[in-house]
Each structure stands twice: as structure tokens, then as C-alpha cells.
Amino acid sequence: MRCSHNMRFVGLPGTPPTILEGLKNNCGWRALNYFSKTFPDGELYIRVSAEESPDVVWVVQSLYPNQNARIVELYLALEALQGLGFKVGPLLLLYVAYARQDRRFLAGEPVSVKALYSGLRGFGVKNVITVDVHSPERFGEASGLEVKNVLPHAFMLKRVGLKADVVLAPDKGALHRAVAFARELGVPYYYLEKYRDRVTGEVRIDTKGLDVANRDVVIVDDIISTGETLATVTSQLYKLGARSVIAVVTHALITQRAMEILERAGIKRLVTANTVAHPEPLPPWIEVVDISGLLCQLTE
Ligand code: R5P
């Protein structure tokens, strides 16, 4: 591993300012400057500073909000770095857009992960470090990249502290997150069966006779997008007599609609990471944890 003080990185547009500051101040990583703009016709432009010529440059980015523009900028930056003769180290993708379409659920659909990320290899990228990507295995298979996936839930737990009687994964795919979290808390964990209508997007949850009466429940997941999954699970837990429902979710893409349905479902607290930029001000029940301290360990 490289010494932190030698570490050079480009924090591309989309990288939340709080994490950029954290990487610089907490980790001692040094950011390379660049200039970016959008042309009047909507095309994007980026120019990386040629003032320094580091041996290796890491590229850091969050591909939200505006996933489509962020992906174009990632490719433009990689080509620019290649043009400067810089060797690109691992890509640190704080949030991977399109990661959930990592297989063909319906005939005629694309494997979006393959379409969008396999081209990175053409720029010499071999390794990607992701933060709680939806499925590291499928992301790696579809993109052909070597994936190191960082799970931030335990780190977040240490930062905020919380108590619960039960940890729940909203579906089987999220079970590994719940297991790690439950171990930290020393409480049992369960997973629910989730069914999503692949055409309408409607979510149905089978609580499988779960007993949460008078219990404080924590739901652990990777992402809030529409908020449907979390809101549906929360409502059902309250119907089953849960005392309180808290969620710890790595990437909260907080749209107005998601906030409304989660508030309506009665979620008590949402703890999330600064892997994506959030609208401001946030309501008091949403807490954002700076996970730069966890990412520092990548170069320690
Ligand atoms: C699904 O498998 C994911 O882990 C999330 O639970 C899901 O994508 C959340 O999306 P939404 O907020 O739109 O229900």
C-alpha cells in the first residue's frame, strides 16, 4: 500500500464535498486540480491539471446525482489522465450507478453494469474499490474488473451509536449486511422475502411470521432509491407491533418522494453515509455519517 501523504487523487464532479474534505484532512490524500464545464449544447468537458506528474493517480467519484453525466465525466477523465501519461490506480467509486441492473431480469433488457463499466478496462483500469455496491460478485463478473467492496455499516454504527433488539435485511440479497451489523450489536438477525414486480416496480414483502412485537428493529440495506422497499417494510413491522424502526442504509438517494413515503411509514431514524450528495437541509430524523475515516484505511 502507498503512504497516505504520497497519495494523489482526482475527486471528480459528483464526489460529495464532505468526503472530499475528509479524504484531504483525515487521510492526507492530495487532490489534483481539474476544470470542468458543460457546453451550451449539454456536452461535458474536463481538463486535468498538468502541473504535477504523479506516478499513480486514484480516481474518486460518486455516480449520483445525475448518473448519466457522471459516467461520461468518468470516461473523459480517464482518457485525459491517459493523455497526460499518468498511471491510474484503483477507481474508488463511492456510489455505483446502474449497479442493480447487473443481470437480465426480463428478455430484451441490457446488463447495464456490463454496458457501462466493462469499457473501463480500455483505459487500463483493472481494480475498482466500491462502497457497498449492490452485488460485488455480479458487478465484477459483468464488468470484468477486480472488485474490492467496502462495507461501511459497522463504521457508521460506531459513529452514531444505536440500540436495537433485532436486525433485519429487507431481502435475502441484503443478508450479509445484516449479519455483520447484528454481530456488532450482539442481537439476532433475520431476512424477509421481497418480491418486486419487474414491470410496475411495486414491492411486496413477506414477513414470514416474524415476531417483532415490542421490539426495536434496525433495517440494514444498501440503497434507498424510490423508498418503496424501506417504507413497505417499515409499515409492516409497525403492523406486527414493532416499538420502533430505524434504518441504516449506505446510499440514500433522497428524493422528495422518498422522504415523504418514509416519513408517512413512521421511520424513526435513518442513518446513511456521505457516499452521495444530499439535499439540504435534511430533516432531523436523517443523519449523515462521514465515512472518509474508513476510506483512509485503504492507503494505510
Ligand atoms: C434491492 O435489492 C436493494 O437492495 C434495495 O432494497 C432497493 O433497490 C431499494 O430501492 P427502492 O428504494 O426503490 O425500493
Side-chain angles (χ1 to χ4, degrees):
M1 269 304 158
R2 298 167 58 78
C3 287
S4 300
H5 64 273
N6 287 330
M7 169 69 175
R8 297 287 185 284
F9 76 103
V10 182
L12 291 177
T15 313
T18 55
I19 214 154
L20 269 182
E21 288 312 303
L23 294 177
K24 289 189 248 178
N25 301 333
N26 302 333
C27 313
W29 297 6
R30 283 182 43 199
L32 285 188
N33 293 325
Y34 65 85
F35 167 75
S36 67
K37 67 174 179 181
T38 305
F39 286 105
D41 61 6
E43 291 185 2
L44 300 166
Y45 172 88
I46 194 158
R47 182 157 60 86
V48 179
S49 165
E51 281 167 19
E52 286 186 69
S53 39
D55 302 338
V56 180
V57 180
W58 286 36
V59 174
V60 179
Q61 196 183 23
S62 173
L63 297 165
Y64 179 89
N66 200 343
Q67 298 86 323
N68 305 328
R70 300 291 85 90
I71 286 173
V72 171
E73 280 158 348
L74 176 59
Y75 275 96
L76 294 179
L78 288 172
E79 208 291 325
L81 291 167
Q82 204 174 50
L84 285 168
F86 296 174
K87 187 167 174 245
V88 176
L91 283 187
L92 171 51
L93 294 181
L94 303 167
Y95 171 72
V96 180
Y98 292 90
R100 288 168 292 169
Q101 186 71 26
D102 55 12
R103 50 186 155 157
R104 254 179 268 284
F105 298 97
L106 299 175
E109 288 182 347
V111 179
S112 303
V113 162
K114 182 176 175 192
L116 297 171
Y117 299 102
S118 61
L120 295 175
R121 286 178 291 148
F123 293 95
V125 176
K126 294 191 182 76
N127 305 83
V128 180
I129 301 172
T130 52
V131 179
D132 199 5
V133 69
H134 184 61
S135 165
E137 296 75 25
R138 286 204 295 275
F139 181 63
E141 267 164 39
S143 64
L145 298 165
E146 190 142 321
V147 180
K148 176 183 167 71
N149 189 48
V150 177
L151 281 181
H153 303 96
F155 181 88
M156 287 155 76
L157 176 63
K158 285 198 182 85
R159 292 296 150 122
V160 295
L162 60 85
K163 288 204 173 69
D165 301 311
V166 182
V167 176
L168 265 191
D171 55 41
K172 205 171 179 184
L175 185 59
H176 63 289
R177 300 182 185 98
V179 173
F181 203 78
R183 282 201 187 119
E184 288 287 326
L185 283 176
V187 300
Y189 58 85
Y190 301 96
Y191 71 91
L192 307 175
E193 293 290 355
K194 178 169 102 178
Y195 306 93
R196 191 190 285 271
D197 185 314
R198 288 283 159 203
V199 179
T200 64
E202 196 187 326
V203 171
R204 190 167 59 76
I205 302 285
D206 180 355
T207 51
K208 303 190 297 182
L210 185 73
D211 179 9
V212 287
N214 298 315
R215 295 195 183 180
D216 297 315
V217 185
V218 183
I219 303 168
V220 180
D221 208 0
D222 57 339
I223 174 169
I224 295 172
S225 172
T226 62
E228 288 289 344
T229 302
L230 191 52
T232 307
V233 174
T234 302
S235 305
Q236 286 192 233
L237 292 175
Y238 281 126
K239 278 189 198 141
L240 292 171
R243 189 163 40 213
S244 67
V245 180
I246 293 175
V248 179
V249 180
T250 308
H251 315 287
L253 316 185
I254 302 174
T255 59
Q256 189 59 33
R257 182 174 176 276
M259 271 203 275
E260 279 168 18
I261 63 171
L262 290 173
E263 221 157 26
R264 214 177 309 134
I267 192 129
K268 194 174 150 205
R269 199 172 161 200
L270 166 64
V271 178
T272 190
N274 59 346
T275 53
V276 295
H278 299 109
E280 283 180 8
L282 287 172
W285 53 274
I286 303 181
E287 294 161 68
V288 181
V289 177
D290 173 21
I291 60 155
S292 59
L294 176 67
L295 302 175
C296 296
Q297 294 168 16
L298 295 168
T299 50
E300 281 168 7

